[in-house]
Each structure stands twice: as structure tokens, then as C-alpha cells.
Amino acid sequence: MKTGLAALVHPRSVAEFFDFHRQGQPFVVHKQDNHLKALTELPLLASLEALLGAWPAPVQVHLPDVRDEASAIDTTPTNARKLFDAGMGLLFNEAQLVSPVLLEWLDEIRRNLGVSALTCGR
């Protein structure tokens, strides 16, 4: 089973991904099949309720006045659900710290891209 960047760009190739990047061209993948199964089947990601129920840290809620992190608050998962229902966006920072699978994928993608291990990836 492919992992990391190879799984993300499948059925296209990593070499093709880098070719498009060097040319400054958009790279689109339309069909993923089962190559992301290790991610899509994580219990943590089964639903918003599952994620909120398992989330051990504050959730960042993006307020409606500005559509980016410049206007956000941190709150509990319970309050985050209420704010989401009111139309606000949620950000679960550092998700890789609550899932070994996400951490493995992030590390693999970082290596595939040639990014230093000292880089803060999330």
C-alpha cells in the first residue's frame, strides 16, 4: 500500500507532481481509490462528533467577522460544536499529535518533499 506523497498523488506519480511544481502549474488528482484508506478509516475522522469526542485540547473557532485565523478564539470541543452549528469554522491544531497514523503520514510527506525534520509541519 502506498503511503505519504505517493498515496496522495495516486494514480499520478510523485515525479509528475514535482514536474508540475517546478513549472508552477496546478496539479490535480481526481480519483483516489483506496490509497488514502489508512487516513479515511481513522476512527478519529469518522465524523465531526467522533473528532470532537476524542479531541484532548482546545479547538480554534474562526469567527464570522474575518475569514481567517486573525479572528479566532480557542474553546472546548463542546462549545466548538455549538459555534460550528452557528456557521463558524473549526481548526484542530496539531492533529498529528493525537494520532500516530497522522504523525507517520506527516513525517513521510515531509521526507518525500525533502523538508527538514526541524520544520514544524502539521
Side-chain angles (χ1 to χ4, degrees):
M1 176 73 61
K2 295 176 192 247
T3 61
L5 192 55
L8 289 176
V9 303
H10 182 82
R12 299 173 84 175
S13 71
V14 171
E16 188 178 6
F17 168 81
F18 282 115
D19 287 343
F20 273 69
H21 174 70
R22 278 189 289 277
Q23 296 171 27
Q25 296 296 316
F27 183 84
V28 178
V29 176
H30 292 285
K31 186 175 179 187
Q32 282 294 324
D33 296 324
N34 289 322
H35 288 86
L36 298 179
K37 197 173 189 176
L39 297 177
T40 60
E41 292 187 351
L42 284 172
L44 182 73
L45 301 179
S47 66
L48 179 57
E49 286 70 27
L51 182 55
L52 288 167
W55 196 253
V59 177
Q60 191 175 85
V61 178
H62 292 218
L63 303 175
D65 57 335
V66 178
R67 298 191 187 278
D68 66 17
E69 65 275 2
S71 181
I73 60 169
D74 288 340
T75 191
T76 66
T78 301
N79 287 335
R81 178 61 205 216
K82 294 173 191 171
L83 294 167
F84 178 80
D85 288 341
M88 295 176 214
L90 305 180
L91 175 61
F92 297 83
N93 278 308
E94 308 292 340
Q96 78 280 6
L97 299 179
V98 299
S99 170
V101 173
L102 292 176
L103 182 58
E104 289 172 23
W105 274 71
L106 182 62
D107 284 344
E108 179 69 14
I109 293 167
R110 179 191 50 74
R111 283 189 294 276
N112 296 152
L113 293 174
V115 176
S116 166
L118 300 175
T119 301
C120 179
R122 58 185 175 121

